[in-house]
Amino acid sequence: MRPTPRKALAAGALALAATAALVLPAPLATAAPDAACTPAQVVADGGFESGSTSWTPSSASVVTDRTGQSAHGGGFYAWLDGTGGTHTDTLSQSVTVPSGCASATLTFWLHIDTAETTSSTAYDKLTAKIGSTTLATWSNLDKNTGYVQKTFDVSAFAGQTVALAFTGTEDSSLQSSFVLDDIALNTADGTTPPADSTRTPVSPSYTVSLTSNTAGTVWTGHQSATFTNASATPLGEVHLRLWDNYHGTCSATPITVGNVTGGTAGALSVGCTALPITLSTPLAQGQSATIGFDLGISVPSGADRFGYDGAFSFIGNALPVLAVKDGAGWHLDPYTNNGESFYSLAADFRVTLDHPSTLLVPATGTSVDTPGTSGRTVTTATATQVRDFAWAAGPFSKISGTSAAGTPVNVYSVSGISAADAQSMLTTARTAVDAHAARFGAYPYGELDAVIDNNFWFGGMEYPGFVLDLVSTTALTHEIGHQWWYGIVGDDEYTSPWLDESFTDYATDLALGKTGTGCWSSVSWASSAEKITNSMAYWDTHSSRYSTVVYGYGKCALHDLRRLIGETAMTKLLKDYATAHRYGVSTTAEFKAAAQAATTTDLTSFWTTHRIEG
């Protein structure tokens, strides 16, 4: 979602010279591979689901499922400190890092909350070490809402058995809690990113049949999902994300799922946006299964990505989609209204929407209308290799055209949008889709639908082949850029929002002929904790800075990278990167590696100066 126009304008010019000093741990040397590598994850019970069996805690209360904190995934987690008095907790495990691998990466999820009120003094601290090397230290100053993933290169320890240790210390008053979960140490052979081989379930295929009420605000029917387990670990459950339950209450959810087949539904969690389903039979690697369920959708009032504005309904993120499991466990992050939490793998959708013929229904994918029962129309939308699905319903005004490269473009306008503004948006869309395709690869989604409503409180919202927007050339060019940066090149939008928003704002500048000259004219970092690569957990507690840093500083960093490595190298880097990750998932580490491979200039200081970590 693009921020409100006010926030977007706030992300203006910045000054690199004013960058606050950072004290960062020295990077560990990378050991050269000396034998054949078998990629592996070597931390035992990183999710603590077996209690402290594989860990050595300072007390029995460190590994726990007690109330007061919560797990990132599963039911157990490690809770260090939180006593409010002078106290030290430790947690450790001996790990053997295999030799012969090109890389070894330690990841874990960390949540910090504190009763300390200071904004300048680190009273309580958590230190992470491997062997005798300190990886990082956090304090009460790094408090956050929810979990943030931490990533460290530990390749220098290849062939060694070392202690992985965490130490939390509190002073004499005011508690600080350091909560850890889903710890993993993955090795890789240098050709396949560690997490890619373990993301599961893969190749989802969704079949949906829904019928609407007269207004298009209530939809009922059935959905099924077929998927395959890509992991060597048997898959005994899946999780459905019912994202739009954020817009209601757990006692009256806008999205209802019932009569589940192919498995047994558990209790809703994560604000009623996650539904676990235990499969009838666990899936071995390469095996597939299908679950089915009855589905109900009730659209709330409001000009939102899920809401209705008068006679016009906007239905984004309403279809349940499968959560992603990888080496860190299930990704069950909370909904954020400040940006996006949506992380899903590329999937195929076939969605049949039965609605009154008085309503036009633009949707993700390529749509075909056929006559239904008296006074009704059936719109069948088919989409391949998309990450989610959205549609709208209402008495829209529609105009159509085709881009110079042959992409069909439709603009659907609500009442009050002038014909001139609609035509301007059609022209913008036709130009933008070709400009982005020329830089990052062909547009793959058939037609492109843009739904225009100036009552949206946000600047715009992206879905595959379908965007919601105000009348704004910049905003529409940005949302269409998301067809590549999030749509074609996926990412974990909650953990790494910069990978879609910074890249899309950079792409928008290029499409509009802006070179980023003078981009850094008045930069001011809010704190040492503020980084371009921070997660939505951070930005939800620093919402006034989200647009400035992720959109503004992020795109300016990419302009700087272009100036550093050269126009030709940057153009090739992004096009090759988009091609290599087409329908896959991008990570910060992978982009940094690709950028380094594109130049002979050492980029280590560039990443540090621009606060790009991971």
Side-chain angles (χ1 to χ4, degrees):
M1 179 183 290
R2 188 171 176 80
T4 61
R6 176 184 60 79
K7 289 183 182 177
L9 291 173
L14 319 162
L16 189 57
T19 301
L22 288 176
V23 179
L24 301 177
L28 299 171
T30 300
D34 56 7
C37 173
T38 301
Q41 196 291 107
V42 300
V43 171
D45 192 27
F48 304 106
E49 297 307 309
S50 298
S52 58
T53 304
S54 301
W55 294 90
T56 302
S58 54
S59 71
S61 64
V62 169
V63 177
T64 182
D65 64 347
R66 69 186 190 271
T67 58
Q69 297 292 340
S70 59
H72 175 261
F76 283 78
Y77 53 91
W79 183 352
L80 283 70
D81 299 331
T83 68
T86 302
H87 187 78
T88 298
D89 274 329
T90 62
L91 179 71
S92 65
Q93 180 181 142
S94 178
V95 295
T96 300
V97 184
S99 61
C101 292
S103 66
T105 304
L106 172 68
T107 60
F108 55 87
W109 292 84
L110 173 63
H111 167 59
I112 302 172
D113 72 42
T114 183
E116 301 283 2
T117 58
T118 178
S119 60
S120 59
T121 305
Y123 290 114
D124 310 317
K125 299 178 181 179
L126 175 74
T127 298
K129 297 179 69 174
I130 185 167
S132 61
T133 299
T134 297
L135 298 173
T137 298
W138 301 270
S139 74
N140 49 278
L141 300 178
D142 299 304
K143 64 183 179 181
N144 59 289
T145 301
Y147 280 88
V148 177
Q149 190 176 39
K150 304 298 181 181
T151 303
F152 299 94
D153 181 356
V154 294
S155 304
F157 296 92
Q160 300 181 39
T161 298
V162 290
L164 174 61
F166 301 89
T167 302
T169 58
E170 283 182 293
D171 70 351
S172 58
S173 65
L174 299 178
Q175 75 85 25
S176 291
S177 294
F178 302 99
V179 189
L180 297 159
D181 203 358
D182 293 327
I183 302 171
L185 199 165
N186 285 284
T187 59
D189 62 6
T191 59
T192 303
D196 281 352
S197 63
T198 59
R199 291 188 185 106
T200 199
V202 297
S203 305
S205 178
Y206 300 98
T207 302
V208 185
S209 179
L210 297 172
T211 300
S212 82
N213 65 351
T214 302
T217 56
V218 176
W219 299 76
T220 57
H222 191 267
Q223 178 173 339
S224 65
T226 300
F227 50 87
T228 300
N229 179 24
S231 171
T233 302
L235 187 67
E237 66 173 355
V238 294
H239 292 258
L240 291 175
R241 295 316 308 259
L242 282 55
W243 287 114
D244 283 337
N245 280 347
Y246 167 87
H247 297 275
T249 65
C250 287
S251 60
T253 58
I255 311 299
T256 59
V257 168
N259 296 323
V260 174
T261 59
T264 303
L268 287 167
S269 64
V270 197
C272 294
T273 66
L275 178 67
I277 296 178
T278 302
L279 300 178
S280 300
T281 304
L283 300 181
Q285 188 173 31
Q287 289 185 327
S288 301
T290 299
I291 58 173
F293 46 88
D294 293 338
L295 176 64
I297 299 169
S298 296
V299 183
S301 176
D304 207 336
R305 56 188 175 193
F306 179 59
Y308 67 83
D309 180 17
F312 303 93
S313 293
F314 314 103
I315 311 169
N317 304 109
L319 295 184
V321 294
L322 293 163
V324 179
K325 182 182 182 183
D326 58 21
W330 286 103
H331 288 258
L332 301 176
D333 296 305
Y335 186 102
T336 175
N337 208 33
N338 194 32
E340 289 83 39
S341 303
F342 316 129
Y343 176 30
S344 55
L345 303 183
D348 295 342
F349 285 82
R350 180 177 174 83
V351 180
T352 301
L353 303 169
D354 185 326
H355 57 89
S357 299
T358 54
L359 305 180
L360 296 185
V361 180
T364 291
T366 300
S367 296
V368 175
D369 288 344
T370 56
T373 56
S374 179
R376 299 184 68 87
T377 296
V378 176
T379 298
T380 301
T382 303
T384 59
Q385 297 283 55
V386 297
R387 299 184 190 277
D388 47 21
F389 186 98
W391 73 100
F396 295 102
S397 297
K398 176 186 177 183
I399 58 174
S400 301
T402 304
S403 76
T407 298
V409 179
N410 306 302
V411 170
Y412 295 81
S413 302
V414 304
S415 304
I417 303 296
S418 70
D421 281 344
Q423 186 61 52
S424 173
M425 292 299 92
L426 178 62
T427 299
T428 294
R430 293 167 60 194
T431 301
V433 71
D434 284 354
H436 295 314
R439 289 185 175 91
F440 311 123
Y443 177 76
Y445 299 138
E447 65 192 42
L448 172 64
D449 294 338
V451 179
I452 310 298
D453 186 343
N454 278 333
N455 289 332
F456 290 137
W457 65 265
F458 50 88
M461 180 64 202
E462 70 278 2
Y463 295 98
F466 176 99
V467 299
L468 306 173
D469 224 311
L470 308 170
V471 175
S472 167
T473 296
T474 300
L476 185 56
T477 303
H478 175 98
E479 301 313 328
I480 293 173
H482 274 304
Q483 302 302 307
W484 284 263
W485 303 107
Y486 130 85
I488 298 170
V489 181
D491 65 287
D492 181 341
E493 294 184 307
Y494 189 83
T495 300
S496 303
W498 91 287
L499 286 172
D500 52 278
E501 297 297 358
S502 300
F503 281 61
T504 296
D505 235 26
Y506 175 76
T508 301
D509 272 5
L510 297 184
L512 297 178
K514 299 178 182 179
T515 63
T517 302
C519 205
W520 299 91
S521 62
S522 60
V523 68
S524 178
W525 296 101
S527 73
S528 61
E530 186 171 86
K531 303 184 175 62
I532 288 173
T533 47
N534 281 347
S535 75
M536 288 308 305
Y538 178 89
W539 298 119
D540 279 346
T541 59
H542 302 80
S543 59
S544 66
R545 298 288 294 168
Y546 171 58
S547 174
T548 298
V549 177
V550 174
Y551 290 73
Y553 295 13
K555 77 171 179 182
C556 289
L558 293 173
H559 280 299
D560 281 357
L561 181 61
R562 173 176 53 82
R563 282 185 279 267
L564 178 63
I565 70 175
E567 186 84 36
T568 300
M570 185 68 169
T571 299
K572 186 176 188 302
L573 164 64
L574 288 181
K575 192 158 192 175
D576 288 351
Y577 190 79
T579 299
H581 290 78
R582 195 172 180 88
Y583 307 131
V585 175
S586 170
T587 67
T588 298
E590 289 170 337
F591 177 71
K592 289 170 66 175
Q596 185 60 77
T599 180
T600 57
T601 301
D602 185 347
L603 297 179
T604 302
S605 63
F606 178 90
W607 307 126
T608 300
T609 301
H610 289 80
R611 301 194 182 196
I612 294 173
E613 296 183 359

